[in-house]
Amino acid sequence: MSGAGKPLLTVRRAAKFFGNKLVFKEISCEVRPGEIMLVAGPNGAGKSTLMRIMAGLSKPSAGEVVLDLDPEDVAYLGHATFLYPGLSALENLKFWGAMYGLSPSRDELMALLKRVGLERAAEEKAGSFSRGMAQRLNLARIYQADPRLIFLDEPGTGLDPASLRRLRGEITGLRDQGTAIVWISHHVVEDAALADTVLALGGRRAEYFGPASAYTPEGAC
């Protein structure tokens, strides 16, 4: 059900300056339900800055960003995990469930942990987790909110190959359920094959926005 319905996210001619330094300008794109948009480009191109603007966490210096959905229907996974190191995996999920206004049962929380391959670490403190394990727990945190639009900033960071395959399966599964995903990845060649559209940044502008099938990620990282 890729690309069905009106856009959930529309960006029109967005620009961002930090002081007198231009990060990017004239960025336009849109994301529809059940669509994966991969954001590509070299380090320093402004991918994370753009994602924060898209998610409503920062304002553009010029242009417009329209999110056509309620804030509780949006989830953002950045470089920080927002986990509490003194709480177990289960306790972290229970806490965040309460923050989302949910009252998940232990079985529901265990199902989330199983989904990300952490069921055996349910009672372990999050502070003892590797970066990859913390990232997977953070993904479980997002899943329980059942958002309609998810922003993922390099979610594969720290994941081993098996966990990376699991992540890709989860992302495509969410898309098939109608969830829209904006995804920054350093594995552009592999991940563009899973995307519907690609927005490639470079030279302080959008070098490409269009179908993933027509994108050639030459030199992308």
Side-chain angles (χ1 to χ4, degrees), residues 65-94:
V65 176
V66 178
L67 277 170
D68 190 25
L69 67 180
D70 296 329
E72 59 266 27
D73 289 326
V74 179
Y76 175 87
L77 189 155
H79 295 162
T81 61
F82 298 108
L83 301 177
Y84 289 88
L87 299 181
S88 70
L90 272 175
E91 289 167 340
N92 265 283
L93 290 185
K94 184 176 181 179

mmCIF file of all heavy atoms in Angstrom, residues 65-94:
data_model
loop_
_atom_site.group_PDB
_atom_site.id
_atom_site.type_symbol
_atom_site.label_atom_id
_atom_site.label_comp_id
_atom_site.label_asym_id
_atom_site.label_seq_id
_atom_site.Cartn_x
_atom_site.Cartn_y
_atom_site.Cartn_z
ATOM 1 N N VAL A 65 7.165 23.482 6.540
ATOM 2 C CA VAL A 65 7.027 22.050 6.802
ATOM 3 C C VAL A 65 5.625 21.824 7.365
ATOM 4 O O VAL A 65 5.243 22.453 8.352
ATOM 5 C CB VAL A 65 8.082 21.545 7.797
ATOM 6 C CG1 VAL A 65 7.851 20.068 8.125
ATOM 7 C CG2 VAL A 65 9.483 21.728 7.227
ATOM 8 N N VAL A 66 4.879 20.935 6.728
ATOM 9 C CA VAL A 66 3.513 20.645 7.161
ATOM 10 C C VAL A 66 3.426 19.174 7.553
ATOM 11 O O VAL A 66 3.671 18.285 6.736
ATOM 12 C CB VAL A 66 2.491 20.936 6.044
ATOM 13 C CG1 VAL A 66 1.080 20.582 6.517
ATOM 14 C CG2 VAL A 66 2.566 22.393 5.613
ATOM 15 N N LEU A 67 3.082 18.926 8.824
ATOM 16 C CA LEU A 67 2.800 17.579 9.317
ATOM 17 C C LEU A 67 1.289 17.446 9.449
ATOM 18 O O LEU A 67 0.680 18.095 10.304
ATOM 19 C CB LEU A 67 3.476 17.345 10.671
ATOM 20 C CG LEU A 67 4.944 16.928 10.662
ATOM 21 C CD1 LEU A 67 5.523 16.987 12.070
ATOM 22 C CD2 LEU A 67 5.116 15.530 10.083
ATOM 23 N N ASP A 68 0.687 16.625 8.620
ATOM 24 C CA ASP A 68 -0.762 16.497 8.596
ATOM 25 C C ASP A 68 -1.216 15.323 9.461
ATOM 26 O O ASP A 68 -1.862 14.380 8.981
ATOM 27 C CB ASP A 68 -1.257 16.330 7.157
ATOM 28 C CG ASP A 68 -2.772 16.428 7.063
ATOM 29 O OD1 ASP A 68 -3.377 17.072 7.935
ATOM 30 O OD2 ASP A 68 -3.347 15.830 6.122
ATOM 31 N N LEU A 69 -0.859 15.360 10.721
ATOM 32 C CA LEU A 69 -1.258 14.343 11.686
ATOM 33 C C LEU A 69 -0.981 14.862 13.086
ATOM 34 O O LEU A 69 -0.257 15.845 13.258
ATOM 35 C CB LEU A 69 -0.584 13.006 11.447
ATOM 36 C CG LEU A 69 0.925 12.831 11.646
ATOM 37 C CD1 LEU A 69 1.326 11.393 11.327
ATOM 38 C CD2 LEU A 69 1.739 13.745 10.787
ATOM 39 N N ASP A 70 -1.563 14.204 14.084
ATOM 40 C CA ASP A 70 -1.408 14.642 15.464
ATOM 41 C C ASP A 70 -0.010 14.314 15.984
ATOM 42 O O ASP A 70 0.604 13.331 15.544
ATOM 43 C CB ASP A 70 -2.456 13.972 16.348
ATOM 44 C CG ASP A 70 -3.869 14.388 15.986
ATOM 45 O OD1 ASP A 70 -4.050 15.533 15.537
ATOM 46 O OD2 ASP A 70 -4.793 13.549 16.142
ATOM 47 N N PRO A 71 0.503 15.103 16.935
ATOM 48 C CA PRO A 71 1.845 14.852 17.468
ATOM 49 C C PRO A 71 2.037 13.439 18.019
ATOM 50 O O PRO A 71 3.115 12.859 17.890
ATOM 51 C CB PRO A 71 1.981 15.899 18.576
ATOM 52 C CG PRO A 71 1.077 16.997 18.167
ATOM 53 C CD PRO A 71 -0.085 16.341 17.475
ATOM 54 N N GLU A 72 0.985 12.868 18.626
ATOM 55 C CA GLU A 72 1.119 11.520 19.196
ATOM 56 C C GLU A 72 1.225 10.436 18.124
ATOM 57 O O GLU A 72 1.541 9.281 18.433
ATOM 58 C CB GLU A 72 -0.051 11.217 20.131
ATOM 59 C CG GLU A 72 -1.412 11.289 19.486
ATOM 60 C CD GLU A 72 -2.071 12.639 19.651
ATOM 61 O OE1 GLU A 72 -1.349 13.656 19.791
ATOM 62 O OE2 GLU A 72 -3.320 12.679 19.660
ATOM 63 N N ASP A 73 0.987 10.817 16.870
ATOM 64 C CA ASP A 73 1.106 9.857 15.774
ATOM 65 C C ASP A 73 2.479 9.900 15.115
ATOM 66 O O ASP A 73 2.703 9.253 14.088
ATOM 67 C CB ASP A 73 0.033 10.124 14.710
ATOM 68 C CG ASP A 73 -1.360 9.742 15.184
ATOM 69 O OD1 ASP A 73 -1.471 8.765 15.945
ATOM 70 O OD2 ASP A 73 -2.327 10.422 14.803
ATOM 71 N N VAL A 74 3.390 10.690 15.704
ATOM 72 C CA VAL A 74 4.743 10.840 15.171
ATOM 73 C C VAL A 74 5.747 10.290 16.180
ATOM 74 O O VAL A 74 5.636 10.543 17.374
ATOM 75 C CB VAL A 74 5.069 12.325 14.892
ATOM 76 C CG1 VAL A 74 6.489 12.469 14.355
ATOM 77 C CG2 VAL A 74 4.067 12.908 13.903
ATOM 78 N N ALA A 75 6.721 9.521 15.700
ATOM 79 C CA ALA A 75 7.798 9.007 16.555
ATOM 80 C C ALA A 75 9.137 9.345 15.924
ATOM 81 O O ALA A 75 9.274 9.366 14.699
ATOM 82 C CB ALA A 75 7.669 7.499 16.746
ATOM 83 N N TYR A 76 10.113 9.609 16.800
ATOM 84 C CA TYR A 76 11.446 10.028 16.335
ATOM 85 C C TYR A 76 12.512 9.230 17.071
ATOM 86 O O TYR A 76 12.491 9.155 18.298
ATOM 87 C CB TYR A 76 11.630 11.524 16.607
ATOM 88 C CG TYR A 76 13.003 12.073 16.282
ATOM 89 C CD1 TYR A 76 13.307 12.522 15.000
ATOM 90 C CD2 TYR A 76 13.977 12.153 17.266
ATOM 91 C CE1 TYR A 76 14.555 13.044 14.705
ATOM 92 C CE2 TYR A 76 15.231 12.677 16.988
ATOM 93 C CZ TYR A 76 15.513 13.117 15.706
ATOM 94 O OH TYR A 76 16.756 13.626 15.419
ATOM 95 N N LEU A 77 13.395 8.618 16.322
ATOM 96 C CA LEU A 77 14.524 7.907 16.915
ATOM 97 C C LEU A 77 15.802 8.573 16.407
ATOM 98 O O LEU A 77 16.154 8.451 15.232
ATOM 99 C CB LEU A 77 14.502 6.420 16.541
ATOM 100 C CG LEU A 77 15.506 5.513 17.275
ATOM 101 C CD1 LEU A 77 15.004 4.070 17.316
ATOM 102 C CD2 LEU A 77 16.888 5.535 16.602
ATOM 103 N N GLY A 78 16.455 9.298 17.318
ATOM 104 C CA GLY A 78 17.700 9.965 16.966
ATOM 105 C C GLY A 78 18.900 9.217 17.498
ATOM 106 O O GLY A 78 18.833 8.020 17.789
ATOM 107 N N HIS A 79 20.010 9.920 17.669
ATOM 108 C CA HIS A 79 21.235 9.274 18.140
ATOM 109 C C HIS A 79 21.181 8.983 19.641
ATOM 110 O O HIS A 79 21.849 8.074 20.122
ATOM 111 C CB HIS A 79 22.442 10.150 17.800
ATOM 112 C CG HIS A 79 22.659 10.283 16.321
ATOM 113 N ND1 HIS A 79 23.431 11.277 15.759
ATOM 114 C CD2 HIS A 79 22.210 9.550 15.281
ATOM 115 C CE1 HIS A 79 23.452 11.149 14.444
ATOM 116 N NE2 HIS A 79 22.707 10.112 14.139
ATOM 117 N N ALA A 80 20.400 9.775 20.388
ATOM 118 C CA ALA A 80 20.213 9.505 21.821
ATOM 119 C C ALA A 80 19.094 8.480 21.986
ATOM 120 O O ALA A 80 18.085 8.531 21.279
ATOM 121 C CB ALA A 80 19.868 10.787 22.565
ATOM 122 N N THR A 81 19.261 7.547 22.928
ATOM 123 C CA THR A 81 18.283 6.476 23.082
ATOM 124 C C THR A 81 17.139 6.816 24.030
ATOM 125 O O THR A 81 16.094 6.180 23.995
ATOM 126 C CB THR A 81 18.955 5.195 23.597
ATOM 127 O OG1 THR A 81 19.547 5.458 24.880
ATOM 128 C CG2 THR A 81 20.026 4.717 22.632
ATOM 129 N N PHE A 82 17.318 7.807 24.900
ATOM 130 C CA PHE A 82 16.281 8.196 25.863
ATOM 131 C C PHE A 82 15.859 7.036 26.768
ATOM 132 O O PHE A 82 14.702 6.948 27.181
ATOM 133 C CB PHE A 82 15.055 8.771 25.150
ATOM 134 C CG PHE A 82 15.357 10.019 24.381
ATOM 135 C CD1 PHE A 82 15.388 9.995 22.996
ATOM 136 C CD2 PHE A 82 15.620 11.212 25.037
ATOM 137 C CE1 PHE A 82 15.687 11.142 22.276
ATOM 138 C CE2 PHE A 82 15.916 12.361 24.323
ATOM 139 C CZ PHE A 82 15.949 12.320 22.934
ATOM 140 N N LEU A 83 16.797 6.143 27.065
ATOM 141 C CA LEU A 83 16.525 5.041 27.978
ATOM 142 C C LEU A 83 17.083 5.387 29.359
ATOM 143 O O LEU A 83 18.044 6.152 29.489
ATOM 144 C CB LEU A 83 17.169 3.755 27.464
ATOM 145 C CG LEU A 83 16.720 3.283 26.081
ATOM 146 C CD1 LEU A 83 17.504 2.046 25.672
ATOM 147 C CD2 LEU A 83 15.223 2.998 26.061
ATOM 148 N N TYR A 84 16.484 4.787 30.386
ATOM 149 C CA TYR A 84 16.938 5.002 31.758
ATOM 150 C C TYR A 84 17.839 3.838 32.158
ATOM 151 O O TYR A 84 17.372 2.700 32.268
ATOM 152 C CB TYR A 84 15.742 5.134 32.701
ATOM 153 C CG TYR A 84 14.998 6.422 32.493
ATOM 154 C CD1 TYR A 84 13.972 6.509 31.555
ATOM 155 C CD2 TYR A 84 15.353 7.566 33.205
ATOM 156 C CE1 TYR A 84 13.298 7.712 31.339
ATOM 157 C CE2 TYR A 84 14.682 8.769 33.001
ATOM 158 C CZ TYR A 84 13.661 8.834 32.071
ATOM 159 O OH TYR A 84 13.004 10.026 31.855
ATOM 160 N N PRO A 85 19.134 4.112 32.368
ATOM 161 C CA PRO A 85 20.091 3.029 32.586
ATOM 162 C C PRO A 85 19.825 2.212 33.834
ATOM 163 O O PRO A 85 20.187 1.031 33.891
ATOM 164 C CB PRO A 85 21.445 3.755 32.666
ATOM 165 C CG PRO A 85 21.118 5.175 33.003
ATOM 166 C CD PRO A 85 19.795 5.438 32.351
ATOM 167 N N GLY A 86 19.193 2.811 34.854
ATOM 168 C CA GLY A 86 18.931 2.092 36.094
ATOM 169 C C GLY A 86 17.696 1.218 36.058
ATOM 170 O O GLY A 86 17.438 0.468 37.005
ATOM 171 N N LEU A 87 16.930 1.291 34.982
ATOM 172 C CA LEU A 87 15.736 0.476 34.830
ATOM 173 C C LEU A 87 16.007 -0.696 33.896
ATOM 174 O O LEU A 87 16.832 -0.600 32.981
ATOM 175 C CB LEU A 87 14.580 1.307 34.269
ATOM 176 C CG LEU A 87 14.104 2.506 35.086
ATOM 177 C CD1 LEU A 87 12.947 3.195 34.384
ATOM 178 C CD2 LEU A 87 13.713 2.085 36.499
ATOM 179 N N SER A 88 15.301 -1.788 34.125
ATOM 180 C CA SER A 88 15.423 -2.940 33.231
ATOM 181 C C SER A 88 14.759 -2.627 31.890
ATOM 182 O O SER A 88 14.062 -1.614 31.740
ATOM 183 C CB SER A 88 14.760 -4.163 33.857
ATOM 184 O OG SER A 88 13.348 -4.000 33.879
ATOM 185 N N ALA A 89 14.956 -3.527 30.944
ATOM 186 C CA ALA A 89 14.311 -3.358 29.641
ATOM 187 C C ALA A 89 12.802 -3.288 29.802
ATOM 188 O O ALA A 89 12.133 -2.413 29.224
ATOM 189 C CB ALA A 89 14.704 -4.507 28.717
ATOM 190 N N LEU A 90 12.238 -4.195 30.600
ATOM 191 C CA LEU A 90 10.798 -4.196 30.840
ATOM 192 C C LEU A 90 10.339 -2.906 31.506
ATOM 193 O O LEU A 90 9.312 -2.328 31.132
ATOM 194 C CB LEU A 90 10.410 -5.386 31.719
ATOM 195 C CG LEU A 90 10.099 -6.713 31.029
ATOM 196 C CD1 LEU A 90 9.865 -7.799 32.073
ATOM 197 C CD2 LEU A 90 8.887 -6.584 30.108
ATOM 198 N N GLU A 91 11.094 -2.455 32.503
ATOM 199 C CA GLU A 91 10.712 -1.247 33.236
ATOM 200 C C GLU A 91 10.774 -0.020 32.335
ATOM 201 O O GLU A 91 9.939 0.883 32.438
ATOM 202 C CB GLU A 91 11.615 -1.069 34.447
ATOM 203 C CG GLU A 91 11.350 -2.094 35.551
ATOM 204 C CD GLU A 91 12.434 -2.106 36.604
ATOM 205 O OE1 GLU A 91 13.564 -1.622 36.332
ATOM 206 O OE2 GLU A 91 12.170 -2.610 37.713
ATOM 207 N N ASN A 92 11.765 0.020 31.438
ATOM 208 C CA ASN A 92 11.843 1.123 30.489
ATOM 209 C C ASN A 92 10.612 1.167 29.602
ATOM 210 O O ASN A 92 10.007 2.228 29.403
ATOM 211 C CB ASN A 92 13.104 1.006 29.628
ATOM 212 C CG ASN A 92 14.271 1.811 30.178
ATOM 213 O OD1 ASN A 92 14.313 3.029 30.023
ATOM 214 N ND2 ASN A 92 15.203 1.122 30.817
ATOM 215 N N LEU A 93 10.228 0.011 29.067
ATOM 216 C CA LEU A 93 9.066 -0.025 28.186
ATOM 217 C C LEU A 93 7.781 0.319 28.942
ATOM 218 O O LEU A 93 6.907 1.013 28.411
ATOM 219 C CB LEU A 93 8.939 -1.400 27.532
ATOM 220 C CG LEU A 93 9.989 -1.753 26.483
ATOM 221 C CD1 LEU A 93 9.660 -3.100 25.848
ATOM 222 C CD2 LEU A 93 10.083 -0.672 25.405
ATOM 223 N N LYS A 94 7.675 -0.163 30.178
ATOM 224 C CA LYS A 94 6.491 0.149 30.984
ATOM 225 C C LYS A 94 6.411 1.650 31.243
ATOM 226 O O LYS A 94 5.327 2.259 31.151
ATOM 227 C CB LYS A 94 6.527 -0.617 32.297
ATOM 228 C CG LYS A 94 5.283 -0.413 33.156
ATOM 229 C CD LYS A 94 5.327 -1.277 34.416
ATOM 230 C CE LYS A 94 4.066 -1.089 35.251
ATOM 231 N NZ LYS A 94 4.087 -1.935 36.469
#
